[in-house]
Amino acid sequence: MNPNRKLITLDEFTVFQTRQFSNSTGELAIVLRDIGLACKLINKKVNKAGLTDILGAVGTSNVQGEEQQKLDVYANDILINILRNSSDCAGIASEENDDFIAFDDEMSKNSKYVVMFDPLDGSSNIDVNASIGTIFCIQRRVSPLGTVAIAEDFLQKGKNIVAAGYVIYGSSTMLVYATKLGVNGFTLDTSIGEFCLSHREMKLPETGKIYAINQGNSMKFGEKVRQFLDYCMEDNKEEGRPFTHRYIGTMVADIHRTLIKGGLFMYPLDITNNKPKLRLLYECNPMSYVIEMAGGKSTTGDDESVLDVQPTDLHQRVPIFIGNENLIQKVKEYLKG
Ligand code: AHM
Ligand code: MG
């Protein structure tokens, strides 16, 4: 494939890109293709959401006690079924399932990758036609080939990620994924049913002026976070403040904007109950990987990158601050006090 050709599909690009890894067997490209296929099916359902009986709740809750929306369940089933039948996925972990699922057929047992995902991010935005997304990451298993996947395959630090990304179902549908070779974005051309390369080698702008946080919760985030929010809102023309506040309430959409326009996304710890909200393995890690590969930074609030947190639980939650490096530096100064 000529990498300078005008029309390059996701499948062509992943094959071309993963060939650049030494010892590449093409298996990563297949897993990415399967995720792309699942997301095209999810996109089809998302687009028809108002027409069919797919809006609203199914009346069950997931492991975290959150009401499951019909689209959550549909998206989860699609991803699981496609990856189960993939030739190159040993198992999955999902926001919607209590435990990971190890695929036990011979082909899966001989696969080297496991996949973690949030099938439908931003569930509360489904009924109001605002952007929603799918988040995924791929880790190389640590258990031996030929056996079923185990918990340790999933409980790996984000810095070990092989590839991670997201799909945003917005005014157009885009898949963005990162490997250590960089971040690239593909827009779904519905006329040919293909994700086509539209955003090459994505990088955050030098800095940004947009901060995203659920400001209604600021009393729960503590004094230091509130002082940083005051800094964002302060009038200081020389330093380009006040910043603009934007909050969609779908992590994928808020971080996609951060990737393109720069800025900062925050979901701090709720100090009233000592609980962070967003999940490490299939929300914070993949999004941190994308942003860090695009030149940004992420932190849990101390000196640690999100990607350095050692997971102990599949559904573990962490505070997250993610975006331009200079803004992460600033927020860290405030948090240190
Ligand atoms: P979900 O995966 O169940 O949809 O929840 C995660 C979402 C994120 O997309 C978003 O950043 C956050 O929850 C919004 O939370 P809040 O409504 O508390 O601001
Ligand atoms: Mg989510």
Side-chain angles (χ1 to χ4, degrees):
M1 186 194 77
N2 174 356
N4 298 318
R5 207 176 74 194
K6 263 201 168 157
L7 177 75
I8 297 177
T9 67
L10 173 69
D11 296 354
E12 289 175 311
F13 186 86
T14 52
V15 169
F16 168 77
Q17 194 193 45
T18 53
R19 275 192 192 142
Q20 295 174 49
F21 293 116
S22 54
N23 305 327
S24 166
T25 54
E27 292 168 65
L28 179 62
I30 290 176
V31 179
L32 286 164
R33 180 200 66 192
D34 290 338
I35 293 171
L37 173 62
C39 291
K40 281 194 268 187
L41 293 167
I42 296 169
N43 179 67
K44 206 170 133 208
K45 214 54 159 194
V46 168
N47 284 341
K48 283 194 181 155
L51 294 173
T52 56
D53 187 28
I54 196 82
L55 288 176
V58 283
T60 53
S61 298
N62 66 12
V63 60
Q64 290 146 87
E66 297 158 335
E67 193 180 62
Q68 288 178 305
Q69 302 286 320
K70 286 180 190 170
L71 259 181
D72 287 346
V73 174
Y74 176 83
N76 197 40
D77 289 349
I78 287 282
L79 275 158
I80 294 174
N81 288 336
I82 287 189
L83 290 168
R84 186 192 292 282
N85 290 306
S86 166
S87 53
D88 293 290
C89 177
I92 64 96
S94 162
E95 175 178 323
E96 303 298 338
N97 292 79
D98 304 12
D99 209 350
F100 65 90
I101 302 174
F103 303 140
D104 58 6
D105 58 287
E106 278 312 305
M107 208 180 293
S108 303
K109 284 198 286 189
N110 282 294
S111 301
K112 61 182 176 198
Y113 295 115
V114 295
V115 181
M116 287 164 267
F117 50 82
D118 175 357
L120 224 288
D121 179 53
S123 319
S124 61
N125 274 331
I126 297 173
D127 285 350
V128 296
N129 221 345
S131 294
I132 49 182
T134 296
I135 310 175
F136 61 89
C137 79
I138 302 170
Q139 288 275 19
R140 188 173 287 110
R141 63 190 292 188
V142 292
S143 57
L145 286 182
T147 61
V148 288
I150 57 172
E152 286 68 29
D153 296 328
F154 298 91
L155 298 176
Q156 296 193 60
K157 289 185 180 180
K159 67 178 187 191
N160 296 349
I161 284 173
V162 177
Y166 59 84
V167 174
I168 177 166
Y169 311 100
S171 42
S172 64
T173 295
M174 260 191 87
L175 183 150
V176 174
Y177 86 91
T179 64
K180 64 181 179 194
L181 296 179
V183 184
N184 289 279
F186 303 79
T187 303
L188 183 62
D189 181 339
T190 49
S191 67
I192 56 169
E194 297 277 5
F195 283 108
C196 299
L197 181 60
S198 53
H199 295 60
R200 284 176 195 253
E201 291 166 28
M202 297 173 87
K203 289 274 171 216
L204 267 81
E206 281 283 284
T207 187
K209 289 174 144 206
I210 302 173
Y211 71 104
I213 187 168
N214 185 339
Q215 200 138 354
N217 286 340
S218 59
M219 295 313 284
K220 298 181 185 167
F221 294 148
E223 189 55 30
K224 290 176 178 170
V225 172
R226 280 200 298 282
Q227 282 169 359
F228 177 72
L229 297 182
D230 287 343
Y231 164 85
C232 295
M233 291 185 284
E234 191 180 65
D235 210 351
N236 185 328
K237 296 238 163 14
E238 267 171 35
E239 292 184 14
R241 285 178 283 130
F243 296 153
T244 298
H245 179 243
R246 293 264 184 276
Y247 190 67
I248 298 166
T250 296
M251 187 190 200
V252 166
D254 281 310
I255 291 191
H256 184 64
R257 183 196 54 246
T258 306
L259 174 59
I260 290 184
K261 296 205 163 177
L264 183 64
F265 170 86
M266 298 168 269
Y267 213 113
L269 179 74
D270 180 343
I271 59 161
T272 62
N273 57 16
N274 212 25
K275 278 192 183 155
K277 169 161 185 181
L278 296 177
R279 278 62 51 121
L280 174 63
L281 286 178
Y282 41 80
E283 291 180 322
C284 298
N285 265 346
M287 297 314 256
S288 298
Y289 188 80
V290 171
I291 289 292
E292 294 210 5
M293 290 304 132
K297 286 278 179 233
S298 71
T299 176
T300 53
D302 48 27
D303 278 334
E304 200 171 45
S305 158
V306 169
L307 301 176
D308 286 321
V309 177
Q310 175 60 57
T312 52
D313 184 272
L314 273 190
H315 299 289
Q316 181 172 343
R317 298 168 190 253
V318 287
I320 184 166
F321 302 83
I322 177 168
N324 283 106
E325 186 170 3
N326 63 325
L327 297 174
I328 294 292
Q329 202 44 49
K330 188 51 99 181
V331 84
K332 277 184 183 171
E333 283 168 26
Y334 273 85
L335 294 177
K336 273 188 188 139

